[in-house]
Amino acid sequence: MVEPGERGATRIADRVVAKIASQAAREALRVDAGAAAADAAAGAGAADVAGVVDTADADVTDAAEVGLTGLAAARPHAVAVVRGDVARVRVAVELGYPSDIGAHCGAVRRHVIERVGELTGMEVPEVVVTVERLHVPQWEHPERRVRRGRDRVR
């Protein structure tokens, strides 16, 4: 009988690691969005609340409520390169504006490292987080905002 350690190897595909990283980024942004909502409920002003686009379970109605439709409600996108037991990951996210971009990117980076390592057993020495878009709700649907003074040139 062949010893268990000599029977073969398990290889996790790059796209599987990328899918895990994308889900981890969504989880991190959802946690940040929950914290922002808790701050708002505690009485923080609207300008003090860091907005995050949470599209994890959003349908068209939810996206429209936040002022996002179509491509603007995109989920985080990840790409991974796996070499042996080491995975390098790139994640593209969309955030609400105004928000603490550095804090959100740091939270995504930490959570991706933790979840990919936990679920795959791989070392993740590098996670590059790119903010692809900032969403400003009143700019997404200009017909919804209250017009004051002269109309802007479009």
Side-chain angles (χ1 to χ4, degrees):
M1 179 169 218
V2 179
E3 294 296 319
E6 297 175 11
R7 291 183 189 161
T10 301
R11 182 183 181 285
I12 300 173
D14 294 359
R15 65 183 178 180
V16 173
V17 174
K19 183 76 171 184
I20 293 169
S22 177
Q23 178 64 31
R26 285 175 39 201
E27 291 170 0
L29 293 176
R30 187 179 308 133
V31 168
D32 284 350
D39 288 346
D48 297 335
V49 177
V52 175
V53 178
D54 177 23
T55 60
D57 298 316
D59 59 8
V60 175
T61 306
D62 293 338
E65 288 175 7
V66 194
L68 306 175
T69 57
L71 294 176
R75 295 178 175 172
H77 176 72
V79 177
V81 177
V82 177
R83 299 285 182 256
D85 288 339
V86 177
R88 298 189 187 285
V89 179
R90 293 181 173 274
V91 181
V93 298
E94 298 179 3
L95 302 175
Y97 179 84
S99 65
D100 186 349
I101 296 170
H104 293 308
C105 291
V108 167
R109 186 175 296 109
R110 285 186 299 275
H111 198 65
V112 167
I113 290 170
E114 177 185 330
R115 293 295 287 164
V116 170
E118 184 178 286
L119 295 173
T120 65
M122 294 181 178
E123 177 187 350
V124 186
E126 177 183 5
V127 176
V128 176
V129 180
T130 305
V131 178
E132 297 242 323
R133 185 172 176 183
L134 294 175
H135 296 282
V136 180
Q138 64 267 25
W139 290 356
E140 295 292 329
H141 294 288
E143 65 277 3
R144 290 186 184 176
R145 69 174 184 238
V146 177
R147 296 179 184 231
R148 296 180 190 165
R150 291 186 276 170
D151 290 337
R152 292 185 180 200
V153 176
R154 294 181 192 192

PDB file of all heavy atoms in Angstrom, residues 55 68-75 94 133 135 140:
ATOM      1  N   THR A  55     -22.626  45.214  -2.740  1.00  0.00           N
ATOM      2  CA  THR A  55     -23.413  44.565  -3.781  1.00  0.00           C
ATOM      3  C   THR A  55     -23.453  43.066  -3.580  1.00  0.00           C
ATOM      4  O   THR A  55     -23.784  42.336  -4.493  1.00  0.00           O
ATOM      5  CB  THR A  55     -22.819  44.881  -5.161  1.00  0.00           C
ATOM      6  OG1 THR A  55     -21.479  44.402  -5.185  1.00  0.00           O
ATOM      7  CG2 THR A  55     -22.872  46.358  -5.452  1.00  0.00           C
ATOM      8  N   LEU A  68     -27.233  53.007  -7.825  1.00  0.00           N
ATOM      9  CA  LEU A  68     -26.369  52.257  -8.723  1.00  0.00           C
ATOM     10  C   LEU A  68     -27.192  51.330  -9.582  1.00  0.00           C
ATOM     11  O   LEU A  68     -28.108  50.693  -9.123  1.00  0.00           O
ATOM     12  CB  LEU A  68     -25.394  51.411  -7.914  1.00  0.00           C
ATOM     13  CG  LEU A  68     -24.576  52.157  -6.877  1.00  0.00           C
ATOM     14  CD1 LEU A  68     -23.758  51.169  -6.088  1.00  0.00           C
ATOM     15  CD2 LEU A  68     -23.694  53.174  -7.524  1.00  0.00           C
ATOM     16  N   THR A  69     -26.827  51.255 -10.844  1.00  0.00           N
ATOM     17  CA  THR A  69     -27.479  50.307 -11.731  1.00  0.00           C
ATOM     18  C   THR A  69     -26.459  49.722 -12.679  1.00  0.00           C
ATOM     19  O   THR A  69     -25.392  50.274 -12.878  1.00  0.00           O
ATOM     20  CB  THR A  69     -28.583  50.984 -12.570  1.00  0.00           C
ATOM     21  OG1 THR A  69     -27.991  52.057 -13.300  1.00  0.00           O
ATOM     22  CG2 THR A  69     -29.717  51.486 -11.711  1.00  0.00           C
ATOM     23  N   GLY A  70     -26.796  48.607 -13.288  1.00  0.00           N
ATOM     24  CA  GLY A  70     -25.954  47.999 -14.314  1.00  0.00           C
ATOM     25  C   GLY A  70     -24.547  47.709 -13.842  1.00  0.00           C
ATOM     26  O   GLY A  70     -24.329  47.081 -12.816  1.00  0.00           O
ATOM     27  N   LEU A  71     -23.573  48.181 -14.615  1.00  0.00           N
ATOM     28  CA  LEU A  71     -22.176  47.898 -14.310  1.00  0.00           C
ATOM     29  C   LEU A  71     -21.710  48.559 -13.026  1.00  0.00           C
ATOM     30  O   LEU A  71     -20.750  48.121 -12.406  1.00  0.00           O
ATOM     31  CB  LEU A  71     -21.288  48.362 -15.473  1.00  0.00           C
ATOM     32  CG  LEU A  71     -21.485  47.608 -16.781  1.00  0.00           C
ATOM     33  CD1 LEU A  71     -20.625  48.239 -17.870  1.00  0.00           C
ATOM     34  CD2 LEU A  71     -21.153  46.138 -16.623  1.00  0.00           C
ATOM     35  N   ALA A  72     -22.384  49.632 -12.616  1.00  0.00           N
ATOM     36  CA  ALA A  72     -21.960  50.326 -11.410  1.00  0.00           C
ATOM     37  C   ALA A  72     -22.141  49.467 -10.171  1.00  0.00           C
ATOM     38  O   ALA A  72     -21.524  49.708  -9.150  1.00  0.00           O
ATOM     39  CB  ALA A  72     -22.737  51.625 -11.250  1.00  0.00           C
ATOM     40  N   ALA A  73     -23.013  48.465 -10.235  1.00  0.00           N
ATOM     41  CA  ALA A  73     -23.262  47.612  -9.092  1.00  0.00           C
ATOM     42  C   ALA A  73     -22.424  46.334  -9.182  1.00  0.00           C
ATOM     43  O   ALA A  73     -22.806  45.296  -8.685  1.00  0.00           O
ATOM     44  CB  ALA A  73     -24.736  47.273  -9.005  1.00  0.00           C
ATOM     45  N   ALA A  74     -21.271  46.406  -9.836  1.00  0.00           N
ATOM     46  CA  ALA A  74     -20.424  45.236 -10.057  1.00  0.00           C
ATOM     47  C   ALA A  74     -19.799  44.751  -8.757  1.00  0.00           C
ATOM     48  O   ALA A  74     -19.515  45.530  -7.861  1.00  0.00           O
ATOM     49  CB  ALA A  74     -19.331  45.568 -11.064  1.00  0.00           C
ATOM     50  N   ARG A  75     -19.588  43.446  -8.702  1.00  0.00           N
ATOM     51  CA  ARG A  75     -18.914  42.840  -7.556  1.00  0.00           C
ATOM     52  C   ARG A  75     -17.412  43.023  -7.697  1.00  0.00           C
ATOM     53  O   ARG A  75     -16.918  43.245  -8.799  1.00  0.00           O
ATOM     54  CB  ARG A  75     -19.242  41.357  -7.519  1.00  0.00           C
ATOM     55  CG  ARG A  75     -20.697  41.087  -7.266  1.00  0.00           C
ATOM     56  CD  ARG A  75     -20.956  39.617  -7.284  1.00  0.00           C
ATOM     57  NE  ARG A  75     -22.341  39.377  -6.930  1.00  0.00           N
ATOM     58  CZ  ARG A  75     -22.913  38.204  -7.002  1.00  0.00           C
ATOM     59  NH1 ARG A  75     -22.233  37.161  -7.407  1.00  0.00           N
ATOM     60  NH2 ARG A  75     -24.165  38.060  -6.656  1.00  0.00           N
ATOM     61  N   GLU A  94     -15.083  48.655  -6.006  1.00  0.00           N
ATOM     62  CA  GLU A  94     -15.766  49.928  -6.178  1.00  0.00           C
ATOM     63  C   GLU A  94     -16.231  50.375  -4.800  1.00  0.00           C
ATOM     64  O   GLU A  94     -16.779  49.578  -4.047  1.00  0.00           O
ATOM     65  CB  GLU A  94     -16.941  49.778  -7.130  1.00  0.00           C
ATOM     66  CG  GLU A  94     -16.512  49.358  -8.514  1.00  0.00           C
ATOM     67  CD  GLU A  94     -17.672  49.184  -9.481  1.00  0.00           C
ATOM     68  OE1 GLU A  94     -18.831  49.449  -9.086  1.00  0.00           O
ATOM     69  OE2 GLU A  94     -17.402  48.800 -10.614  1.00  0.00           O
ATOM     70  N   ARG A 133     -13.570  52.468  -9.140  1.00  0.00           N
ATOM     71  CA  ARG A 133     -14.593  53.498  -9.274  1.00  0.00           C
ATOM     72  C   ARG A 133     -15.064  53.946  -7.904  1.00  0.00           C
ATOM     73  O   ARG A 133     -15.175  53.143  -6.990  1.00  0.00           O
ATOM     74  CB  ARG A 133     -15.768  52.933 -10.071  1.00  0.00           C
ATOM     75  CG  ARG A 133     -16.834  53.934 -10.382  1.00  0.00           C
ATOM     76  CD  ARG A 133     -17.847  53.342 -11.332  1.00  0.00           C
ATOM     77  NE  ARG A 133     -18.904  54.321 -11.537  1.00  0.00           N
ATOM     78  CZ  ARG A 133     -19.955  54.104 -12.256  1.00  0.00           C
ATOM     79  NH1 ARG A 133     -20.138  52.948 -12.840  1.00  0.00           N
ATOM     80  NH2 ARG A 133     -20.868  55.028 -12.393  1.00  0.00           N
ATOM     81  N   HIS A 135     -18.381  55.787  -6.206  1.00  0.00           N
ATOM     82  CA  HIS A 135     -19.776  56.083  -6.513  1.00  0.00           C
ATOM     83  C   HIS A 135     -20.263  57.248  -5.668  1.00  0.00           C
ATOM     84  O   HIS A 135     -20.139  57.234  -4.461  1.00  0.00           O
ATOM     85  CB  HIS A 135     -20.662  54.870  -6.219  1.00  0.00           C
ATOM     86  CG  HIS A 135     -20.331  53.702  -7.079  1.00  0.00           C
ATOM     87  ND1 HIS A 135     -20.741  53.615  -8.379  1.00  0.00           N
ATOM     88  CD2 HIS A 135     -19.604  52.585  -6.830  1.00  0.00           C
ATOM     89  CE1 HIS A 135     -20.289  52.483  -8.892  1.00  0.00           C
ATOM     90  NE2 HIS A 135     -19.596  51.848  -7.974  1.00  0.00           N
ATOM     91  N   GLU A 140     -25.115  59.649  -9.740  1.00  0.00           N
ATOM     92  CA  GLU A 140     -25.550  58.489 -10.499  1.00  0.00           C
ATOM     93  C   GLU A 140     -26.880  58.747 -11.209  1.00  0.00           C
ATOM     94  O   GLU A 140     -27.085  58.303 -12.318  1.00  0.00           O
ATOM     95  CB  GLU A 140     -25.702  57.268  -9.573  1.00  0.00           C
ATOM     96  CG  GLU A 140     -24.398  56.809  -8.968  1.00  0.00           C
ATOM     97  CD  GLU A 140     -23.445  56.228  -9.990  1.00  0.00           C
ATOM     98  OE1 GLU A 140     -23.901  55.652 -10.986  1.00  0.00           O
ATOM     99  OE2 GLU A 140     -22.232  56.356  -9.789  1.00  0.00           O
TER     100      GLU A 140
END
